[in-house]
Amino acid sequence: GGRRNYNDQTLMPVTCKMLKTCTPDPDGGGGMKLADGRDVHLVRLVAAVRTIQETSTNIVFEVEDGTGLMQVKQWFDDNDPPAVTEMRMEACKEHIYIKIVGQMKVYDNTNMLVAQSVRKLADPNNLTYHLLEVAYTGEKHKRGTSIVGHNMGNHHQPTAAAGMPSGMGGSGVGQPMASGGGAGNSVAQLRDMILNYIKREGEMVEVGASKIACVEEMARLGNYTPQQVHDLIEELAQEGNIYSTVNEDHYKFAM
């Protein structure tokens, strides 16, 4: 049981839409559940500040991340350490991106995120990476439930999936994959899969293949982490095999 508690309490990357559609746990206990059935404890949200309302005891941010708007409340008092106050002041600007860590609460039948920490986003690329993580963890959950649901005797996949996030610290590309091949073999395999995906999907849509959809597909096909896919897409773009279209999240195959 200890392992499950640890997983339940880990920081979950989410979007505004996921938080708006989560509901109180039907089993009681005051918890919340996402639409896909996952328990919501501590969450991480990256979004743009649209409006700010400040009182003597709290700030209410309205934030947006492309999936919807969300209300975020942060309580504070005069005894907060100077560093905490300074961090809050930096984040209290409209039209900047912030990273919020907090817990979901329901006030007057409306979902609200109560922030434990609000920081200005240092690097805009962190937004893309956050969305990739959202896609990856959602896909991993779907894989896990379908494996359990079909009562398969193959324990290899869930174990590989459970071990994957450790590779997200940056050394992801060199990791051996769930396919059992050596790291070099797997990277070459993933590279081909990404190229084929961007070639196929990029021809069907004017703006090109979506990086986030590509991450979801690679997680589904072979337990590859967002970092691995992200790094290889960067590499393929630098080599001129693919090129970005409307933004850094959409790519086409260079014929």
Side-chain angles (χ1 to χ4, degrees):
R3 169 119 184 110
R4 185 170 177 273
N5 287 343
Y6 170 74
N7 282 340
D8 283 351
Q9 297 296 342
T10 47
L11 208 55
M12 185 189 294
V14 292
T15 63
C16 290
K17 184 180 180 182
M18 287 163 71
L19 294 179
K20 282 180 87 78
T21 55
C22 74
T23 51
D25 188 342
D27 300 332
M32 304 282 284
K33 275 192 181 296
L34 291 181
D36 65 10
R38 281 182 288 169
D39 290 323
V40 180
H41 293 284
L42 268 182
V43 298
R44 182 177 75 238
L45 176 70
V46 175
V49 179
R50 290 292 171 244
T51 62
I52 300 164
Q53 288 177 306
E54 196 167 345
T55 70
S56 57
T57 57
N58 66 71
I59 302 174
V60 176
F61 299 89
E62 189 172 52
V63 301
E64 187 229 336
D65 66 355
T67 69
L69 287 164
M70 189 71 206
Q71 299 260 312
V72 178
K73 180 179 273 192
Q74 186 179 31
W75 297 95
F76 61 85
D77 63 42
D78 297 334
N79 300 322
D80 284 341
V84 172
T85 307
E86 190 181 330
M87 203 159 55
R88 188 173 64 244
M89 298 304 289
E90 273 190 354
C92 275
K93 296 185 178 76
E94 292 180 1
H95 312 304
I96 64 164
Y97 278 98
I98 57 175
K99 180 166 78 175
I100 306 140
V101 172
Q103 288 182 296
M104 281 305 296
K105 302 286 180 194
V106 180
Y107 291 106
D108 299 328
N109 295 323
T110 304
N111 288 0
M112 182 179 274
L113 181 57
V114 177
Q116 295 179 2
S117 140
V118 176
R119 292 167 181 255
K120 182 182 176 185
L121 202 64
D123 179 358
N125 286 328
N126 287 350
L127 172 64
T128 303
Y129 187 53
H130 172 78
L131 292 172
L132 293 175
E133 280 191 289
V134 170
Y136 173 70
T137 52
E139 186 60 46
K140 201 177 86 172
H141 170 73
K142 267 195 290 190
R143 283 175 68 97
T145 48
S146 66
I147 289 163
V148 172
H150 294 313
N151 198 18
M152 288 165 62
N154 177 5
H155 296 300
H156 180 60
Q157 279 176 300
T159 315
M164 272 302 169
S166 61
M168 286 160 68
S171 61
V173 170
Q175 280 202 321
M177 303 296 175
S179 61
N185 175 34
S186 297
V187 171
Q189 192 181 348
L190 176 58
R191 188 188 160 94
D192 289 345
M193 285 161 65
I194 291 171
L195 262 181
N196 288 334
Y197 180 86
I198 290 173
K199 192 174 184 177
R200 184 180 74 241
E201 296 296 318
E203 283 173 4
M204 295 198 286
V205 190
E206 196 176 327
V207 295
S210 153
K211 186 196 282 187
I212 292 167
C214 183
V215 163
E216 286 183 322
E217 182 71 359
M218 297 308 131
R220 190 177 68 77
L221 293 173
N223 273 336
Y224 296 104
T225 69
Q227 187 68 53
Q228 289 167 323
V229 179
H230 187 74
D231 289 350
L232 276 173
I233 286 177
E234 294 277 303
E235 199 177 289
L236 288 166
Q238 282 169 7
E239 290 169 2
N241 291 306
I242 59 174
Y243 61 93
S244 59
T245 57
V246 288
N247 54 32
E248 294 299 312
D249 293 329
H250 290 85
Y251 289 85
K252 276 185 179 277
F253 182 70
M255 300 302 281

mmCIF file with all atom_site columns, all heavy atoms in Angstrom, residues 69-81:
data_model
loop_
_atom_site.group_PDB
_atom_site.id
_atom_site.type_symbol
_atom_site.label_atom_id
_atom_site.label_alt_id
_atom_site.label_comp_id
_atom_site.label_asym_id
_atom_site.label_entity_id
_atom_site.label_seq_id
_atom_site.pdbx_PDB_ins_code
_atom_site.Cartn_x
_atom_site.Cartn_y
_atom_site.Cartn_z
_atom_site.occupancy
_atom_site.B_iso_or_equiv
_atom_site.pdbx_formal_charge
_atom_site.auth_seq_id
_atom_site.auth_comp_id
_atom_site.auth_asym_id
_atom_site.auth_atom_id
_atom_site.pdbx_PDB_model_num
ATOM 1   N N   . LEU A 1 69 ? -9.991  28.818 -18.978 1.00 0.00 ? 69 LEU A N   1
ATOM 2   C CA  . LEU A 1 69 ? -9.634  29.768 -17.918 1.00 0.00 ? 69 LEU A CA  1
ATOM 3   C C   . LEU A 1 69 ? -9.783  29.087 -16.568 1.00 0.00 ? 69 LEU A C   1
ATOM 4   O O   . LEU A 1 69 ? -10.648 28.230 -16.392 1.00 0.00 ? 69 LEU A O   1
ATOM 5   C CB  . LEU A 1 69 ? -10.559 30.985 -17.962 1.00 0.00 ? 69 LEU A CB  1
ATOM 6   C CG  . LEU A 1 69 ? -10.350 31.988 -19.103 1.00 0.00 ? 69 LEU A CG  1
ATOM 7   C CD1 . LEU A 1 69 ? -11.568 32.885 -19.232 1.00 0.00 ? 69 LEU A CD1 1
ATOM 8   C CD2 . LEU A 1 69 ? -9.113  32.833 -18.860 1.00 0.00 ? 69 LEU A CD2 1
ATOM 9   N N   . MET A 1 70 ? -8.962  29.488 -15.599 1.00 0.00 ? 70 MET A N   1
ATOM 10  C CA  . MET A 1 70 ? -9.022  28.885 -14.269 1.00 0.00 ? 70 MET A CA  1
ATOM 11  C C   . MET A 1 70 ? -8.775  29.953 -13.212 1.00 0.00 ? 70 MET A C   1
ATOM 12  O O   . MET A 1 70 ? -7.957  30.849 -13.404 1.00 0.00 ? 70 MET A O   1
ATOM 13  C CB  . MET A 1 70 ? -7.936  27.795 -14.163 1.00 0.00 ? 70 MET A CB  1
ATOM 14  C CG  . MET A 1 70 ? -8.022  26.948 -12.919 1.00 0.00 ? 70 MET A CG  1
ATOM 15  S SD  . MET A 1 70 ? -9.459  25.866 -12.994 1.00 0.00 ? 70 MET A SD  1
ATOM 16  C CE  . MET A 1 70 ? -9.768  25.606 -11.264 1.00 0.00 ? 70 MET A CE  1
ATOM 17  N N   . GLN A 1 71 ? -9.501  29.855 -12.102 1.00 0.00 ? 71 GLN A N   1
ATOM 18  C CA  . GLN A 1 71 ? -9.280  30.764 -10.967 1.00 0.00 ? 71 GLN A CA  1
ATOM 19  C C   . GLN A 1 71 ? -8.248  30.134 -10.027 1.00 0.00 ? 71 GLN A C   1
ATOM 20  O O   . GLN A 1 71 ? -8.355  28.959 -9.673  1.00 0.00 ? 71 GLN A O   1
ATOM 21  C CB  . GLN A 1 71 ? -10.584 30.950 -10.197 1.00 0.00 ? 71 GLN A CB  1
ATOM 22  C CG  . GLN A 1 71 ? -11.696 31.565 -11.022 1.00 0.00 ? 71 GLN A CG  1
ATOM 23  C CD  . GLN A 1 71 ? -11.853 33.053 -10.754 1.00 0.00 ? 71 GLN A CD  1
ATOM 24  O OE1 . GLN A 1 71 ? -11.907 33.486 -9.621  1.00 0.00 ? 71 GLN A OE1 1
ATOM 25  N NE2 . GLN A 1 71 ? -11.916 33.826 -11.817 1.00 0.00 ? 71 GLN A NE2 1
ATOM 26  N N   . VAL A 1 72 ? -7.269  30.935 -9.642  1.00 0.00 ? 72 VAL A N   1
ATOM 27  C CA  . VAL A 1 72 ? -6.223  30.474 -8.718  1.00 0.00 ? 72 VAL A CA  1
ATOM 28  C C   . VAL A 1 72 ? -6.171  31.444 -7.544  1.00 0.00 ? 72 VAL A C   1
ATOM 29  O O   . VAL A 1 72 ? -6.066  32.657 -7.743  1.00 0.00 ? 72 VAL A O   1
ATOM 30  C CB  . VAL A 1 72 ? -4.841  30.445 -9.414  1.00 0.00 ? 72 VAL A CB  1
ATOM 31  C CG1 . VAL A 1 72 ? -3.760  30.013 -8.435  1.00 0.00 ? 72 VAL A CG1 1
ATOM 32  C CG2 . VAL A 1 72 ? -4.865  29.526 -10.627 1.00 0.00 ? 72 VAL A CG2 1
ATOM 33  N N   . LYS A 1 73 ? -6.263  30.901 -6.324  1.00 0.00 ? 73 LYS A N   1
ATOM 34  C CA  . LYS A 1 73 ? -6.204  31.774 -5.138  1.00 0.00 ? 73 LYS A CA  1
ATOM 35  C C   . LYS A 1 73 ? -4.940  31.466 -4.341  1.00 0.00 ? 73 LYS A C   1
ATOM 36  O O   . LYS A 1 73 ? -4.609  30.304 -4.113  1.00 0.00 ? 73 LYS A O   1
ATOM 37  C CB  . LYS A 1 73 ? -7.434  31.547 -4.254  1.00 0.00 ? 73 LYS A CB  1
ATOM 38  C CG  . LYS A 1 73 ? -7.438  32.422 -2.988  1.00 0.00 ? 73 LYS A CG  1
ATOM 39  C CD  . LYS A 1 73 ? -8.689  32.198 -2.143  1.00 0.00 ? 73 LYS A CD  1
ATOM 40  C CE  . LYS A 1 73 ? -9.825  33.082 -2.604  1.00 0.00 ? 73 LYS A CE  1
ATOM 41  N NZ  . LYS A 1 73 ? -10.958 33.110 -1.645  1.00 0.00 ? 73 LYS A NZ  1
ATOM 42  N N   . GLN A 1 74 ? -4.234  32.521 -3.946  1.00 0.00 ? 74 GLN A N   1
ATOM 43  C CA  . GLN A 1 74 ? -3.072  32.341 -3.071  1.00 0.00 ? 74 GLN A CA  1
ATOM 44  C C   . GLN A 1 74 ? -3.257  33.198 -1.816  1.00 0.00 ? 74 GLN A C   1
ATOM 45  O O   . GLN A 1 74 ? -3.449  34.411 -1.902  1.00 0.00 ? 74 GLN A O   1
ATOM 46  C CB  . GLN A 1 74 ? -1.771  32.738 -3.783  1.00 0.00 ? 74 GLN A CB  1
ATOM 47  C CG  . GLN A 1 74 ? -0.540  32.409 -2.935  1.00 0.00 ? 74 GLN A CG  1
ATOM 48  C CD  . GLN A 1 74 ? 0.773   32.773 -3.608  1.00 0.00 ? 74 GLN A CD  1
ATOM 49  O OE1 . GLN A 1 74 ? 0.838   33.722 -4.388  1.00 0.00 ? 74 GLN A OE1 1
ATOM 50  N NE2 . GLN A 1 74 ? 1.825   32.031 -3.310  1.00 0.00 ? 74 GLN A NE2 1
ATOM 51  N N   . TRP A 1 75 ? -3.208  32.536 -0.649  1.00 0.00 ? 75 TRP A N   1
ATOM 52  C CA  . TRP A 1 75 ? -3.310  33.241 0.630   1.00 0.00 ? 75 TRP A CA  1
ATOM 53  C C   . TRP A 1 75 ? -1.931  33.720 1.046   1.00 0.00 ? 75 TRP A C   1
ATOM 54  O O   . TRP A 1 75 ? -0.931  33.090 0.748   1.00 0.00 ? 75 TRP A O   1
ATOM 55  C CB  . TRP A 1 75 ? -3.863  32.303 1.717   1.00 0.00 ? 75 TRP A CB  1
ATOM 56  C CG  . TRP A 1 75 ? -5.251  31.829 1.445   1.00 0.00 ? 75 TRP A CG  1
ATOM 57  C CD1 . TRP A 1 75 ? -5.614  30.667 0.834   1.00 0.00 ? 75 TRP A CD1 1
ATOM 58  C CD2 . TRP A 1 75 ? -6.470  32.507 1.759   1.00 0.00 ? 75 TRP A CD2 1
ATOM 59  N NE1 . TRP A 1 75 ? -6.986  30.575 0.745   1.00 0.00 ? 75 TRP A NE1 1
ATOM 60  C CE2 . TRP A 1 75 ? -7.538  31.695 1.304   1.00 0.00 ? 75 TRP A CE2 1
ATOM 61  C CE3 . TRP A 1 75 ? -6.767  33.726 2.379   1.00 0.00 ? 75 TRP A CE3 1
ATOM 62  C CZ2 . TRP A 1 75 ? -8.871  32.054 1.450   1.00 0.00 ? 75 TRP A CZ2 1
ATOM 63  C CZ3 . TRP A 1 75 ? -8.097  34.089 2.529   1.00 0.00 ? 75 TRP A CZ3 1
ATOM 64  C CH2 . TRP A 1 75 ? -9.136  33.261 2.065   1.00 0.00 ? 75 TRP A CH2 1
ATOM 65  N N   . PHE A 1 76 ? -1.871  34.836 1.747   1.00 0.00 ? 76 PHE A N   1
ATOM 66  C CA  . PHE A 1 76 ? -0.582  35.307 2.267   1.00 0.00 ? 76 PHE A CA  1
ATOM 67  C C   . PHE A 1 76 ? -0.824  36.157 3.505   1.00 0.00 ? 76 PHE A C   1
ATOM 68  O O   . PHE A 1 76 ? -1.954  36.559 3.788   1.00 0.00 ? 76 PHE A O   1
ATOM 69  C CB  . PHE A 1 76 ? 0.189   36.108 1.206   1.00 0.00 ? 76 PHE A CB  1
ATOM 70  C CG  . PHE A 1 76 ? -0.521  37.346 0.726   1.00 0.00 ? 76 PHE A CG  1
ATOM 71  C CD1 . PHE A 1 76 ? -0.418  38.548 1.411   1.00 0.00 ? 76 PHE A CD1 1
ATOM 72  C CD2 . PHE A 1 76 ? -1.297  37.305 -0.430  1.00 0.00 ? 76 PHE A CD2 1
ATOM 73  C CE1 . PHE A 1 76 ? -1.073  39.690 0.959   1.00 0.00 ? 76 PHE A CE1 1
ATOM 74  C CE2 . PHE A 1 76 ? -1.956  38.448 -0.884  1.00 0.00 ? 76 PHE A CE2 1
ATOM 75  C CZ  . PHE A 1 76 ? -1.843  39.641 -0.188  1.00 0.00 ? 76 PHE A CZ  1
ATOM 76  N N   . ASP A 1 77 ? 0.259   36.416 4.246   1.00 0.00 ? 77 ASP A N   1
ATOM 77  C CA  . ASP A 1 77 ? 0.149   37.362 5.364   1.00 0.00 ? 77 ASP A CA  1
ATOM 78  C C   . ASP A 1 77 ? 1.449   38.144 5.508   1.00 0.00 ? 77 ASP A C   1
ATOM 79  O O   . ASP A 1 77 ? 2.441   37.868 4.832   1.00 0.00 ? 77 ASP A O   1
ATOM 80  C CB  . ASP A 1 77 ? -0.243  36.663 6.677   1.00 0.00 ? 77 ASP A CB  1
ATOM 81  C CG  . ASP A 1 77 ? 0.789   35.659 7.136   1.00 0.00 ? 77 ASP A CG  1
ATOM 82  O OD1 . ASP A 1 77 ? 1.994   35.968 7.056   1.00 0.00 ? 77 ASP A OD1 1
ATOM 83  O OD2 . ASP A 1 77 ? 0.400   34.555 7.580   1.00 0.00 ? 77 ASP A OD2 1
ATOM 84  N N   . ASP A 1 78 ? 1.436   39.120 6.405   1.00 0.00 ? 78 ASP A N   1
ATOM 85  C CA  . ASP A 1 78 ? 2.585   40.025 6.546   1.00 0.00 ? 78 ASP A CA  1
ATOM 86  C C   . ASP A 1 78 ? 3.823   39.325 7.097   1.00 0.00 ? 78 ASP A C   1
ATOM 87  O O   . ASP A 1 78 ? 4.927   39.863 7.035   1.00 0.00 ? 78 ASP A O   1
ATOM 88  C CB  . ASP A 1 78 ? 2.219   41.205 7.467   1.00 0.00 ? 78 ASP A CB  1
ATOM 89  C CG  . ASP A 1 78 ? 1.092   42.032 6.863   1.00 0.00 ? 78 ASP A CG  1
ATOM 90  O OD1 . ASP A 1 78 ? 0.968   42.003 5.624   1.00 0.00 ? 78 ASP A OD1 1
ATOM 91  O OD2 . ASP A 1 78 ? 0.335   42.672 7.614   1.00 0.00 ? 78 ASP A OD2 1
ATOM 92  N N   . ASN A 1 79 ? 3.635   38.127 7.662   1.00 0.00 ? 79 ASN A N   1
ATOM 93  C CA  . ASN A 1 79 ? 4.778   37.417 8.247   1.00 0.00 ? 79 ASN A CA  1
ATOM 94  C C   . ASN A 1 79 ? 5.512   36.533 7.240   1.00 0.00 ? 79 ASN A C   1
ATOM 95  O O   . ASN A 1 79 ? 6.450   35.831 7.602   1.00 0.00 ? 79 ASN A O   1
ATOM 96  C CB  . ASN A 1 79 ? 4.315   36.541 9.425   1.00 0.00 ? 79 ASN A CB  1
ATOM 97  C CG  . ASN A 1 79 ? 3.679   37.386 10.517  1.00 0.00 ? 79 ASN A CG  1
ATOM 98  O OD1 . ASN A 1 79 ? 4.141   38.496 10.784  1.00 0.00 ? 79 ASN A OD1 1
ATOM 99  N ND2 . ASN A 1 79 ? 2.615   36.884 11.131  1.00 0.00 ? 79 ASN A ND2 1
ATOM 100 N N   . ASP A 1 80 ? 5.064   36.538 5.981   1.00 0.00 ? 80 ASP A N   1
ATOM 101 C CA  . ASP A 1 80 ? 5.765   35.741 4.966   1.00 0.00 ? 80 ASP A CA  1
ATOM 102 C C   . ASP A 1 80 ? 7.215   36.207 4.852   1.00 0.00 ? 80 ASP A C   1
ATOM 103 O O   . ASP A 1 80 ? 7.486   37.411 4.927   1.00 0.00 ? 80 ASP A O   1
ATOM 104 C CB  . ASP A 1 80 ? 5.088   35.903 3.593   1.00 0.00 ? 80 ASP A CB  1
ATOM 105 C CG  . ASP A 1 80 ? 3.794   35.098 3.496   1.00 0.00 ? 80 ASP A CG  1
ATOM 106 O OD1 . ASP A 1 80 ? 3.620   34.178 4.309   1.00 0.00 ? 80 ASP A OD1 1
ATOM 107 O OD2 . ASP A 1 80 ? 2.974   35.401 2.611   1.00 0.00 ? 80 ASP A OD2 1
ATOM 108 N N   . PRO A 1 81 ? 8.157   35.266 4.651   1.00 0.00 ? 81 PRO A N   1
ATOM 109 C CA  . PRO A 1 81 ? 9.562   35.659 4.459   1.00 0.00 ? 81 PRO A CA  1
ATOM 110 C C   . PRO A 1 81 ? 9.690   36.576 3.235   1.00 0.00 ? 81 PRO A C   1
ATOM 111 O O   . PRO A 1 81 ? 8.916   36.443 2.282   1.00 0.00 ? 81 PRO A O   1
ATOM 112 C CB  . PRO A 1 81 ? 10.284  34.328 4.202   1.00 0.00 ? 81 PRO A CB  1
ATOM 113 C CG  . PRO A 1 81 ? 9.347   33.266 4.680   1.00 0.00 ? 81 PRO A CG  1
ATOM 114 C CD  . PRO A 1 81 ? 7.965   33.815 4.585   1.00 0.00 ? 81 PRO A CD  1
#
